[in-house]
Amino acid sequence: MPDHTPSPAETPDLAARRAVMALCGAARAEELRDALAEVGTPGEPEDLRPPETGLVMTRGRIGGDGRPFNLGEATVTRAAVRLASGETGFAYHLGRDRAKARLAATLDALWQRPELRAPVEAALAPVAARRTAEREAEARRIAATRVNFFTMARGED
């Protein structure tokens, strides 16, 4: 699962849902289609908010802890669906892939059904494995370029 440490105010369910939504956000469209096919859909979900694309302002901080500033805009697609059983799912994705946002929202709604939580998490396990492998490969690339600086004593006191 993604690196997210729940705050004391978060319930275990909220933290777990957040982790699943993060996996859906990191997934490729074909991975979401495969996961949804594996879990199965109990009917076609209803669009509460049809997938739509817009812009959000991204913010940054100098040095990671300085004053915030507007970095620029990012394209985001969002979707909201409701299952026939009443569960509501939401998704936000960077980019313009409306089908991907709808698939992620459907998986979010399915995860909210207690009997489908484990199957949804199992179906998204390949996404988690891929993300872990990508992070490890990136860490290896970064470590290969690391330079260790040290001071040598010249013997002139």
Side-chain angles (χ1 to χ4, degrees):
M1 292 287 159
D3 300 321
H4 169 72
T5 306
S7 69
E10 286 186 10
T11 64
D13 280 354
L14 180 58
R17 182 177 179 198
R18 217 179 248 214
V20 167
M21 290 177 89
L23 273 178
C24 287
R28 298 179 181 123
E30 62 272 5
E31 290 172 325
L32 292 175
R33 273 191 287 280
D34 293 345
L36 194 55
E38 187 177 323
V39 173
T41 310
E44 185 65 22
E46 167 194 359
D47 284 329
L48 292 178
R49 179 185 302 268
E52 56 189 352
T53 301
L55 296 172
V56 295
M57 181 60 67
T58 58
R59 305 212 7 124
R61 290 181 183 269
I62 294 176
D65 59 357
R67 292 187 48 186
F69 64 94
N70 292 338
L71 184 63
E73 294 176 331
T75 305
V76 175
T77 302
R78 68 179 178 183
V81 300
R82 180 182 300 140
L83 300 178
S85 54
E87 292 81 13
T88 303
F90 300 94
Y92 287 81
H93 282 286
L94 285 173
R96 300 176 178 270
D97 193 341
R98 294 176 181 195
K100 179 181 171 183
R102 191 166 191 277
L103 290 167
T106 303
L107 283 166
D108 175 46
L110 290 171
W111 182 88
Q112 293 176 57
R113 296 180 67 174
E115 71 275 9
L116 293 178
R117 284 184 184 178
V120 169
E121 290 172 1
L124 290 172
V127 178
R130 178 183 56 81
R131 295 288 297 155
T132 299
E134 287 172 350
R135 274 191 229 103
E136 290 171 354
E138 181 70 15
R140 283 192 302 275
R141 279 194 298 274
I142 291 170
T145 63
R146 179 169 283 141
V147 177
N148 292 321
F149 292 96
F150 59 93
T151 303
M152 295 180 62
R154 292 188 286 167
E156 300 171 6
D157 290 312

